[in-house]
Amino acid sequence: SPDTIIFNKSQTLYGLHKAKDGIRKWKFALLVEGQLDLLLCHQEGFDQAVATSGTALTDEHLRMLKRYTNNLMLVYDADQAGMKATIKAWTMALKHGLEVKVALLPKNEDPASLLLDRKGVFVQALKQAMHVIEYVLSKSDISSRSGKKDTLEKLIPLVAALESSVDKEHFTNRIADMFEMSID
């Protein structure tokens, strides 16, 4: 449906009114892409799930979430569009000072399809979720000079977006060690 004076998608997190208690209880929010994903999450007991409502994640969405938690887990669809949305979302969330993890679903799956047929796979993906910088490091090929350069070009903006100086120092040291480079 289109935006109206009463309903503005860029300012609405679908299911937040039902997820508030779950977010406080579990101390993190699950962010999914679609309303069906959200409904199945809640039906299956993941009551800390919220969804954007037919629009991309906005700063207003993140400000709303930050009222309830500093911890966000992105559980977007495992397709090309979902990965693109995940990258955009984690960059924005880091700038808002959120601790961001990514749960990786099997290729071409989404939360709803997994919860309907293979709930255990969904639960395992949540358990194996990793901080976005750790995720980028795990998917990087640093065996060549060009691979190192490409990876650093992805990592530097992420580290720069971190609000916490402790996190910045931690990940700077981790990257320097992994790349066998000086911190400078």
Side-chain angles (χ1 to χ4, degrees):
S1 63
D3 284 343
T4 66
I5 295 170
I6 296 171
F7 178 69
N8 184 327
K9 289 184 266 189
S10 64
Q11 295 178 347
T12 302
L13 272 173
Y14 191 67
L16 182 60
H17 68 292
K18 293 282 190 182
K20 291 175 186 178
D21 291 338
I23 292 169
R24 287 183 184 118
K25 174 181 158 189
W26 297 104
K27 299 187 183 359
F28 72 97
L30 285 178
L31 181 62
V32 296
E33 281 184 90
Q35 296 172 356
L36 187 57
D37 293 329
L38 173 102
L39 292 172
L40 278 157
C41 282
H42 279 260
Q43 181 177 308
E44 293 298 320
F46 299 95
D47 60 351
Q48 74 274 44
V50 294
T52 51
S53 190
T55 186
L57 185 66
T58 66
D59 289 322
E60 183 61 30
H61 292 141
L62 293 167
R63 280 190 286 276
M64 282 188 279
L65 279 175
K66 198 158 164 97
R67 290 183 209 151
Y68 303 100
T69 185
N70 285 322
N71 301 303
L72 177 64
M73 186 179 299
L74 301 171
V75 193
Y76 282 4
D77 298 357
D79 57 17
Q80 191 171 16
M83 193 63 227
K84 188 175 180 181
T86 299
I87 292 168
K88 183 178 179 193
W90 79 41
T91 303
M92 290 176 65
L94 288 174
K95 289 178 182 174
H96 281 268
L98 292 162
E99 183 76 19
V100 186
K101 289 187 174 185
V102 178
L104 300 174
L105 305 180
K107 188 173 181 160
N108 296 322
E109 294 281 2
D110 60 47
S113 65
L114 283 176
L115 287 167
L116 281 172
D117 300 325
R118 301 183 293 157
K119 183 177 177 180
V121 174
F122 182 79
V123 170
Q124 194 61 29
L126 298 185
K127 288 180 180 176
Q128 294 175 346
M130 60 182 82
H131 190 281
V132 294
I133 293 175
E134 293 294 346
Y135 169 76
V136 172
L137 286 169
S138 75
K139 298 294 181 187
S140 299
D141 174 19
I142 59 169
S143 60
S144 68
R145 182 192 60 75
S146 64
K148 285 182 181 180
K149 183 179 176 191
D150 290 343
T151 301
L152 284 172
E153 287 174 358
K154 292 175 190 171
L155 289 170
I156 289 171
L158 295 176
V159 173
L162 293 170
E163 189 175 78
S164 163
S165 59
V166 172
D167 285 345
K168 281 184 182 182
E169 184 174 345
H170 168 79
F171 284 113
T172 301
N173 287 329
R174 169 103 166 80
I175 293 164
D177 288 344
M178 187 172 179
F179 284 70
E180 299 176 344
M181 300 172 71
S182 73
I183 291 174
D184 295 335

